[in-house]
Amino acid sequence: MAEAESIIGTPDIPEAEGSEGAEPERNDGALTPDGQATDTTAAEDGDGEAMVDRSAATRRRRIILLFCVAVLAYLLDLGSKMLVVAKLEHQEPIEIFGSWLRLDAIRNAGAAFGIGEAFTIIFTIIAATVIVVIARLARKLYSLPWAIALGLLLGGALGNLTDRIFRAPGVFEGAVVDFIAPAHFAVFNLADSAIVCGGILIVILSFKGLDPDGTVHKD
């Protein structure tokens, strides 16, 4: 028997008992201090397409981008209004492209593009509500396009809300400074432009099925 075994050979014996059929260990990522998984590798959907990285670092970057866009939009709006009030108010309109586009300073007690002047306080409350909603959405923000869109909305809402609070005739009833006057269209400002651009981007993202958390719906 010993000679037969030496000729045939002895089958390999696993190093550890019970290793047969065992699956390799998986490391789905460590937990951050706030209890969320880091997800160091991008998730994949059923078709094998790479999804957004939902790590805590990614969320922080998206939030930082959101507030950077918001601050930029807000400062541009605030600076332009200060310049218009100082140099253009009570003056003749300045023609940029003939009668097609002018700079004409007016005070608007209504919403964007002069709509609803009798509801100043209501529009003030709406602007404040938009800011709160954006702050709540930021907690689950992983999409870069959504960060830009929400940043534009936030900056524009803050710009017009600043006018509502600090300009005449009173707190929460202040008239917004508008100065961009295209032909055959309402006069508006940079805050209105930021709000409209952010809204259009959100509509596009919604049609594409992209959620703020990076989830893509393929309906």
Side-chain angles (χ1 to χ4, degrees):
M1 286 293 296
E3 293 179 357
E5 289 179 356
S6 64
I7 296 174
I8 297 174
T10 305
D12 295 334
I13 300 175
E15 294 181 1
E17 198 173 17
S19 61
E20 183 178 355
E23 296 182 356
E25 294 184 357
R26 295 179 58 188
N27 184 5
D28 292 334
L31 295 179
T32 60
D34 59 0
Q36 295 188 356
T38 58
D39 285 345
T40 54
T41 58
E44 293 187 351
D45 61 13
D47 297 329
E49 296 182 359
M51 302 293 289
V52 68
D53 180 7
R54 291 189 177 87
S55 65
T58 298
R59 185 181 63 179
R60 284 193 296 268
R61 288 194 296 269
R62 299 297 181 258
I63 293 175
I64 291 173
L65 175 61
L66 185 157
F67 283 107
C68 285
V69 172
V71 169
L72 178 61
Y74 176 76
L75 291 179
L76 288 175
D77 177 68
L78 181 63
S80 64
K81 288 174 178 175
M82 293 175 63
L83 184 61
V84 165
V85 170
K87 301 294 184 181
L88 188 59
E89 198 168 35
H90 308 303
Q91 304 294 327
E92 290 295 322
I94 299 175
E95 293 186 350
I96 304 299
F97 295 108
S99 61
W100 290 99
L101 178 62
R102 301 184 304 169
L103 298 181
D104 187 11
I106 67 169
R107 298 294 181 111
N108 172 22
F113 310 115
I115 301 173
E117 295 187 2
F119 304 97
T120 306
I121 296 180
I122 294 177
F123 291 128
T124 303
I125 295 173
I126 292 174
T129 303
V130 168
I131 294 171
V132 173
V133 171
I134 293 174
R136 292 178 62 88
L137 283 175
R139 296 185 301 176
K140 57 177 183 178
L141 182 62
Y142 296 95
S143 169
L144 188 148
W146 269 95
I148 296 174
L150 293 177
L152 290 171
L153 281 180
L154 180 59
L158 285 173
N160 283 339
L161 184 61
T162 300
D163 284 359
R164 304 289 187 195
I165 296 175
F166 296 106
R167 296 193 187 277
V171 178
F172 300 120
E173 297 181 351
V176 174
V177 176
D178 290 335
F179 59 92
I180 304 173
H184 312 298
F185 196 72
V187 184
F188 59 97
N189 56 42
L190 294 184
D192 297 334
S193 300
I195 292 172
V196 170
C197 290
I200 292 174
L201 182 54
I202 287 176
V203 171
I204 294 173
L205 295 175
S206 298
F207 272 112
K208 292 175 67 69
L210 179 62
D211 289 345
D213 64 355
T215 302
V216 179
H217 300 283
K218 297 182 177 181
D219 296 333

